[in-house]
């Protein structure tokens, strides 16, 4: 998977398609990190079939999980829009 630093050159391109790809990859990177974070929070909060909480440490967070989940959902929808636009414009992501 790319890292944010791998997209810097693309963001500075004069070609809008390269900047578009960079925007997509940056959003995807941030989405995947937020998704993993939210998954850890949810896993720590679940009760297993034996009525016990799993031995998973909940990551520290100051924001309510519903706000984080809403952010993840909206980012996912935005990624989908970018993917549709890429198909329409013939941009290979």
């Amino acid at each position: 998977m790319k890292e944010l630093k791998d997209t810097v050159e693309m963001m500075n391109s004069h070609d809008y398609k390269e900047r578009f790809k960079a925007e997509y990859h940056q959003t995807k990177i941030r989405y995947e990190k937020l998704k993993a974070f939210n998954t850890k929070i949810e896993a720590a909060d679940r009760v297993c079939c034996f009525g016990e909480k799993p031995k998973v440490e909940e990551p520290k967070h100051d924001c309510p999980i519903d706000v984080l989940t809403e952010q993840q959902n909206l980012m996912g929808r935005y990624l989908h829009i970018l993917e549709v636009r890429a198909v329409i414009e013939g941009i290979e992501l």
Side-chain angles (χ1 to χ4, degrees):
M1 174 182 269
K2 289 183 183 244
E3 294 183 29
L4 288 174
K5 65 181 181 175
D6 300 328
T7 65
V8 173
E9 191 174 320
M10 294 166 67
M11 274 314 284
N12 291 321
S13 174
H14 294 291
D15 180 3
Y16 86 92
K17 289 184 179 186
E18 286 299 305
R19 291 191 309 274
F20 179 89
K21 289 182 202 180
E23 179 179 353
Y24 174 80
H25 290 296
Q26 289 174 358
T27 305
K28 180 95 172 170
I29 291 164
R30 290 182 173 105
Y31 171 83
E32 291 298 333
K33 288 183 179 187
L34 179 59
K35 181 180 175 206
F37 185 71
N38 287 346
T39 299
K40 288 178 184 176
I41 294 170
E42 184 179 343
D45 194 44
R46 291 288 171 125
V47 175
C48 76
C49 55
F50 302 112
E52 299 174 13
K53 284 199 169 201
K55 293 173 176 54
V56 177
E57 187 173 330
E58 183 172 337
K60 181 179 176 354
H61 58 97
D62 296 324
C63 190
I65 186 63
D66 62 319
V67 174
L68 296 170
T69 302
E70 184 177 0
Q71 179 184 356
Q72 177 189 335
N73 291 336
L74 291 171
M75 289 174 77
R77 290 177 57 197
Y78 182 59
L79 283 170
H80 177 71
I81 291 167
L82 292 177
E83 290 163 355
V84 170
R85 181 178 164 200
V87 170
I88 292 169
E89 295 187 27
I91 300 172
E92 189 170 328
L93 299 173

